[in-house]
């Protein structure tokens, strides 16, 4: 099938896309956007979180056929050219990147939280990131990063 969409502000027209192909595979393999990570492919880990029409979703659960005409934003699209988004900067300054595999999904999920709730409580923060799994260590540095991005604490 042919489909058209906007990805990170760029108009894309794609041919010969199987309708059942996942948005995750389309982003990584056809559009060469490796920031969105492929981990569980079951919507359980959140590593592939992207925005579709302003909603954060697991791209592994979205069929390419569903995105015709949509606006897609990946972790690459949050940055302003070479300048990282404040949420991305907060993850670096808090040391929340660890191995980095889960980081893109967590950054998009944190960005989505702060867009809706600029001053989240710790309970709201934990609830918002509950769908994103990190297998390296604990979540405290990740929570610190979101607090830094929300302006609730200083970078360490």
């Amino acid at each position: 099938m042919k489909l058209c969409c906007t990805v990170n502000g760029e108009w894309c027209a794609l041919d010969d896309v199987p309708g059942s192909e996942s948005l995750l595979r389309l982003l990584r393999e056809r559009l060469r956007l490796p920031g969105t990570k492929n981990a569980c492919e079951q919507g359980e880990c959140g590593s592939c979180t992207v925005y579709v029409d302003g909603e954060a979703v697991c791209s592994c659960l979205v069929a390419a056929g569903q995105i015709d005409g949509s606006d897609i934003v990946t972790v690459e699209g949050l940055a302003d050219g070479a300048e990282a988004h404040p949420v991305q900067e907060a993850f670096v300054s808090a040391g929340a990147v660890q191995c980095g595999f889960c980081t893109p999904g967590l950054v998009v999920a944190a960005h989505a939280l702060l867009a809706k709730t600029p001053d989240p409580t710790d309970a709201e923060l934990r609830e918002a990131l509950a769908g994103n799994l990190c297998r390296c260590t604990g979540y405290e540095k990740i929570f610190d990063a979101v607090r830094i991005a929300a302006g609730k604490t200083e970078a360490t």
Side-chain angles (χ1 to χ4, degrees), residues 115-130:
K116 290 181 180 175
T117 309
D119 187 22
T121 64
D122 280 357
E124 290 169 326
L125 191 163
R126 290 176 190 276
E127 174 71 23
L129 300 185

Side-chain angles (χ1 to χ4, degrees), residues 91-107:
F91 270 70
V92 172
S93 68
V97 293
Q98 301 166 111
C99 86
F101 200 80
C102 67
T103 305
L106 281 161
V107 166

Side-chain angles (χ1 to χ4, degrees), residues 13-140:
L14 302 161
D15 290 320
D16 300 323
V17 178
S20 61
E21 182 174 290
S22 71
L23 173 58
L24 170 63
R25 290 198 179 273
L26 184 141
L27 292 169
R28 289 185 57 82
E29 296 170 12
R30 291 181 188 269
L31 298 178
R32 307 279 184 222
L33 292 168
T36 304
K37 300 302 183 203
N38 182 5
C40 73
E41 291 192 86
Q42 299 175 2
E44 297 290 330
C45 73
S47 295
C48 64
T49 304
V50 300
Y51 282 107
V52 175
D53 295 328
E55 291 294 321
V57 300
C58 290
S59 61
C60 67
L61 299 179
V62 177
Q66 295 175 283
I67 63 153
D68 191 38
S70 293
D71 180 38
I72 313 298
V73 179
T74 69
V75 70
E76 292 97 337
L78 296 181
D80 184 12
E83 188 171 325
H85 186 276
V87 173
Q88 294 166 317
E89 291 176 356
F91 270 70
V92 172
S93 68
V97 293
Q98 301 166 111
C99 86
F101 200 80
C102 67
T103 305
L106 281 161
V107 166
V108 174
H111 183 274
L113 166 66
L114 296 174
K116 290 181 180 175
T117 309
D119 187 22
T121 64
D122 280 357
E124 290 169 326
L125 191 163
R126 290 176 190 276
E127 174 71 23
L129 300 185
N132 293 78
L133 301 179
C134 171
R135 293 178 173 89
C136 288
T137 63
Y139 288 81
E140 207 49 49

